[in-house]
């Protein structure tokens, strides 16, 4: 299979991707609270962007799998899967918050820290490329 061996981590990633996409649709269609569209409601362009991101996520899992094969290791694909699982989980929790579900403070603090670290990493990478 192009994504590598199907295991519980890949299944979990796919379930999370579906849950994130569906919860995003609910935020826009029912709650009219989507931060991704001007009106907060449904937007076909925003939906397509979301689907494209999900497809690209799976493409990166495939790339990780073939890098593992080329290098004779079994690590990169799993790291990619786990990283995207964390990203999907953060998005699902954010969507739950937009729906009005109470998010425990410790969880929202952890999400803020993860986002901060992610932003710092991206900023450092950009700085490194421009030097």
């Amino acid at each position: 299979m192009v994504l590598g061996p199907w295991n519980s981590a890949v299944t979990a990633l796919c379930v999370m991707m579906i849950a994130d996409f569906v919860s995003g649709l609910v935020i826009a269609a029912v709650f009219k609270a989507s931060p991704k569209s001007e009106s907060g409601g449904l937007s076909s362009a925003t939906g397509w962007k979301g689907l494209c991101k999900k497809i690209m996520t799976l493409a990166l899992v495939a790339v990780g799998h073939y890098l593992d094969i080329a290098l004779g290791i079994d690590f990169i694909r799993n790291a990619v899967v786990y990283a995207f699982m964390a990203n999907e989980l953060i998005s699902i929790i954010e969507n739950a918050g937009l729906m009005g579900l109470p998010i425990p403070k410790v969880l929202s603090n952890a999400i803020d820290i993860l986002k901060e670290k992610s932003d710092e990493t991206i900023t450092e990478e950009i700085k490194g490329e421009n030097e």
Side-chain angles (χ1 to χ4, degrees):
M1 167 158 219
V2 76
L3 298 176
W6 198 271
N7 60 14
S8 59
V10 175
T11 300
L13 175 61
C14 290
V15 167
M16 290 175 157
M17 290 170 64
I18 292 166
D20 180 47
F21 189 78
V22 169
S23 64
L25 286 175
V26 170
I27 291 293
V30 177
F31 292 90
K32 308 278 191 240
S34 174
K36 297 181 180 179
S37 69
E38 287 183 32
S39 67
L42 284 174
S43 161
S44 59
T46 300
W48 278 112
K49 284 180 188 177
L51 283 175
C52 288
K53 288 179 182 182
K54 303 299 183 204
I55 292 167
M56 190 62 195
T57 296
L58 295 175
L60 290 171
V61 170
V63 167
H65 170 62
Y66 285 101
L67 280 172
D68 278 349
I69 291 171
L71 298 173
I73 59 176
D74 185 24
F75 168 76
I76 297 171
R77 183 197 77 139
N78 289 336
V80 171
V81 168
Y82 295 138
F84 280 113
M85 283 172 60
N87 190 54
E88 294 295 334
L89 182 59
I90 289 168
S91 183
I92 292 166
I93 293 168
E94 287 174 338
N95 288 346
L98 288 170
M99 289 179 191
L101 291 173
I103 306 300
K105 189 69 175 163
V106 67
L107 202 50
S108 63
N109 288 345
I111 290 170
D112 290 341
I113 290 168
L114 285 172
K115 282 183 176 177
E116 226 174 80
K117 293 292 182 189
S118 176
D119 289 344
E120 286 174 13
T121 302
I122 291 169
T123 303
E124 289 171 10
E125 289 175 4
I126 292 171
K127 283 182 183 176
E129 290 175 5
N130 291 334
E131 292 176 354

